[in-house]
Amino acid sequence: RDELGRGIGVARTVKPLPPGLHVILGDSAASVFTRVFEGASERLLIDQDVLSVGPTPRCASWAEWQRVRTEWWKELVPDGVDGHVHSPFNLVDNATRLKEAERINIWTATGLTEQLFIALTLHLADEQGAHPERISLRLYESLPGRRPRIIGTGELDEEGLGKAPTPIALSPQMIRDYRDAWSALTSSDPLALEAFAYSHPHANRWLREGMTTMLRRYPGK
């Protein structure tokens, strides 16, 4: 095996990349994604943050947002942030690409951070005027032979990630739910988080469960 953990001399099938722009959470999942799908590096944006921890205030600009988030990470992990490589394909920095994309494919899983990643992507798409009908979810919930639930796409190897889920079109209800989740996440009042599961009974179970667990973390227990 080489330094990236790839099998040397083991044949692997590169899959055709579905049309449109693709968005995924985390450098690990992104690395596997580019090995699975042909030409993925040219049409893949990466969210590199973990929004289930730390402050998520409403900011006047995305530059301010990134400053707040980076400063929090530096305080939490003083020596770790300096080693972080800010990707040129970072989702926030490349949000304008969402506007003209033929389609926007959000590759995601069931965990809290993944659900907040969906909310962030839809919020950015809203700001850019991207039409919701062009956005779909590729949701990994479970795979045969694995534990029942996939928390994050970073868990998946090439074989698992290559088993692409059927795209899920976003209904108006789903869009409202994720918009409200973003609003609750960035509110200065945690009551919005506390009430989310009760006020959104028809939201998907992963979003409802995730928003409830945010009460343990917002912005500290």
Side-chain angles (χ1 to χ4, degrees):
R1 301 180 72 83
D2 66 8
E3 69 277 7
L4 295 177
R6 296 178 294 210
I8 300 299
V10 177
R12 64 182 175 90
T13 302
V14 178
K15 298 177 178 293
L17 185 66
L21 190 67
H22 302 266
V23 189
I24 203 164
L25 174 64
D27 294 324
S28 176
S31 178
V32 175
F33 192 92
T34 58
R35 299 199 298 269
V36 171
F37 294 101
E38 184 176 7
S41 59
E42 300 172 3
R43 290 194 276 132
L44 180 65
L45 300 182
I46 310 164
D47 179 12
Q48 294 183 289
D49 205 351
V50 182
L51 297 182
S52 57
V53 294
T56 53
R58 292 179 186 168
C59 296
S61 67
W62 286 106
E64 174 68 9
W65 167 270
Q66 291 188 322
R67 183 191 65 78
V68 169
R69 295 293 299 169
T70 300
E71 288 185 357
W72 183 81
W73 279 112
K74 283 183 177 179
E75 183 176 338
L76 182 69
V77 191
D79 299 324
V81 174
D82 291 338
H84 170 71
V85 178
H86 189 82
S87 172
F89 305 107
N90 181 276
L91 171 61
V92 172
D93 295 339
N94 291 274
T96 55
R97 293 182 63 185
L98 299 172
K99 182 175 182 179
E100 302 300 330
E102 174 188 359
R103 291 205 59 79
I104 300 170
N105 302 273
I106 304 175
W107 298 75
T108 187
T110 67
L112 168 58
T113 300
E114 298 273 352
Q115 296 302 305
L116 299 180
F117 155 62
I118 297 170
L120 167 65
T121 304
L122 293 181
H123 181 73
L124 289 169
D126 274 348
E127 286 195 339
Q128 297 300 320
H131 201 287
E133 289 185 357
R134 294 190 279 114
I135 306 174
S136 59
L137 300 183
R138 301 273 186 156
L139 178 61
Y140 292 90
E141 294 185 283
S142 62
L143 291 174
R146 288 180 53 94
R147 64 184 183 181
R149 179 183 177 187
I150 298 173
I151 304 296
T153 51
E155 301 174 24
L156 300 171
D157 58 13
E158 294 179 27
E159 180 182 4
L161 194 65
K163 296 176 180 177
T166 301
I168 302 171
L170 294 174
S171 68
Q173 179 69 56
M174 292 173 67
I175 293 169
R176 285 194 297 272
D177 292 339
Y178 280 105
R179 283 173 176 165
D180 289 350
W182 180 259
S183 180
L185 176 71
T186 57
S187 173
S188 59
D189 185 352
L191 290 177
L193 289 173
E194 182 181 33
F196 187 89
Y198 303 101
S199 60
H200 296 75
H202 301 297
N204 81 70
R205 64 173 294 193
W206 308 124
L207 179 59
R208 283 187 287 109
E209 290 181 9
M211 293 299 282
T212 300
T213 64
M214 276 299 293
L215 290 175
R216 307 172 190 167
R217 308 172 182 230
Y218 175 86
K221 187 174 180 180

